[in-house]
Structures are given as C-alpha cells and as structure tokens.
Amino acid sequence: ARGVQHTAVRQAHRKHEPNFHDKYGNLVLLGGAAVFATVWTYVVTQLNIEWGFSPVGRITPKEWRE
C-alpha cells in the first residue's frame, strides 16, 4: 500500500508534459467540424436531392391487368 502511495505522490509532483491531445486536440476538433460543415453545405446546395420523403402524390398506381 505504501508503494502505491509513493507512486501517487511522485506522479502528483511530476512536471506535466503536454501530449498529442494537449497540443493538437482543439485544432483537430475544429478541422473536423470545418470538413463536416463543408461537406454538408455541398450536399444540401449542389446535389439535386428531393428532401421530401413522402411518396404521396408522386407515385401513381399502375393499371390492373385482368
């Protein structure tokens, strides 16, 4: 148990070295958000997608053959 306490005390007084997430975390997050927004802006404005999902009024039944 003392070994665990010793390790905890040593780590508490150790200098914090920044890792990848400390250095680039916000930059990666902002870059991902920018790509996400760019792609969806393109999809919504440039592709000819009909966004109404209801088929009512667009589908006419075929004549029944006897």
Side-chain angles (χ1 to χ4, degrees), residues 3 5 16-17 20 24-25 27 30 36 43 45-46 50 55 66:
Q5 288 175 342
H16 178 70
E17 298 173 7
F20 178 84
Y24 306 110
L27 190 63
L30 290 174
F36 178 85
V43 167
T45 59
Q46 299 299 317
E50 292 188 19
E66 293 194 31

Side-chain angles (χ1 to χ4, degrees), residues 37-54:
T38 303
V39 168
W40 276 106
T41 301
Y42 173 78
V43 167
V44 169
T45 59
Q46 299 299 317
L47 297 181
N48 293 325
I49 297 175
E50 292 188 19
W51 292 100
F53 297 114
S54 174

